[in-house]
Amino acid sequence: MDTENGNTREGSSFGSLISNVTQEITALIRNEVELAKAEMRQKASQLGMGVGSIAAGGGVLLCGFLVLLASAVFGLNIVVQAMWLSALIVGAIVVIVGFIMLQGGKKKLKATNLTPDRTMASLQKDQGMAKRHKSQAKEQLK
């Protein structure tokens, strides 16, 4: 009779253990997915706001810049005495400056880290915890 009760307790304990592990793993995966979603929404929002600000600022800057370029062409024409040459010189300088600015912006976009760092760290932590629980469960079953 004691043997049967011992087996029943072990079976109940093992079944309970499996049930708890299954529920915890399900909850853990659900929480990790929610964390990843929230983190990606935050990263996308930051990126979208930055791009929107750059676009609006760029539009206003372009309008003022065109006026300044026209002034530069007219001013250089006084010295060079050839409108086409003035426009060519100012245009070449603007193209060079614009290219340098584009390269700088490209580097900044590459530096934007879109990986969900907190989620990855949490998943690695969970993986380590799962390995520890696995070894503990094996020890308990022995």
PDB file of all heavy atoms in Angstrom, residues 12 15 108:
ATOM      1  N   SER A  12       1.711  12.237  -9.253  1.00  0.00           N
ATOM      2  CA  SER A  12       1.029  13.512  -9.065  1.00  0.00           C
ATOM      3  C   SER A  12       2.030  14.655  -9.075  1.00  0.00           C
ATOM      4  O   SER A  12       1.806  15.689  -9.678  1.00  0.00           O
ATOM      5  CB  SER A  12       0.271  13.482  -7.743  1.00  0.00           C
ATOM      6  OG  SER A  12      -0.250  14.748  -7.462  1.00  0.00           O
ATOM      7  N   GLY A  15       3.360  15.017 -12.698  1.00  0.00           N
ATOM      8  CA  GLY A  15       2.315  15.601 -13.546  1.00  0.00           C
ATOM      9  C   GLY A  15       2.117  17.067 -13.231  1.00  0.00           C
ATOM     10  O   GLY A  15       1.957  17.898 -14.131  1.00  0.00           O
ATOM     11  N   LYS A 108      24.512  58.270 -40.228  1.00  0.00           N
ATOM     12  CA  LYS A 108      23.633  58.354 -39.059  1.00  0.00           C
ATOM     13  C   LYS A 108      22.521  57.317 -39.127  1.00  0.00           C
ATOM     14  O   LYS A 108      22.132  56.749 -38.109  1.00  0.00           O
ATOM     15  CB  LYS A 108      23.037  59.751 -38.936  1.00  0.00           C
ATOM     16  CG  LYS A 108      24.035  60.776 -38.461  1.00  0.00           C
ATOM     17  CD  LYS A 108      23.404  62.142 -38.352  1.00  0.00           C
ATOM     18  CE  LYS A 108      24.438  63.180 -37.944  1.00  0.00           C
ATOM     19  NZ  LYS A 108      23.870  64.523 -37.885  1.00  0.00           N
TER      20      LYS A 108
END
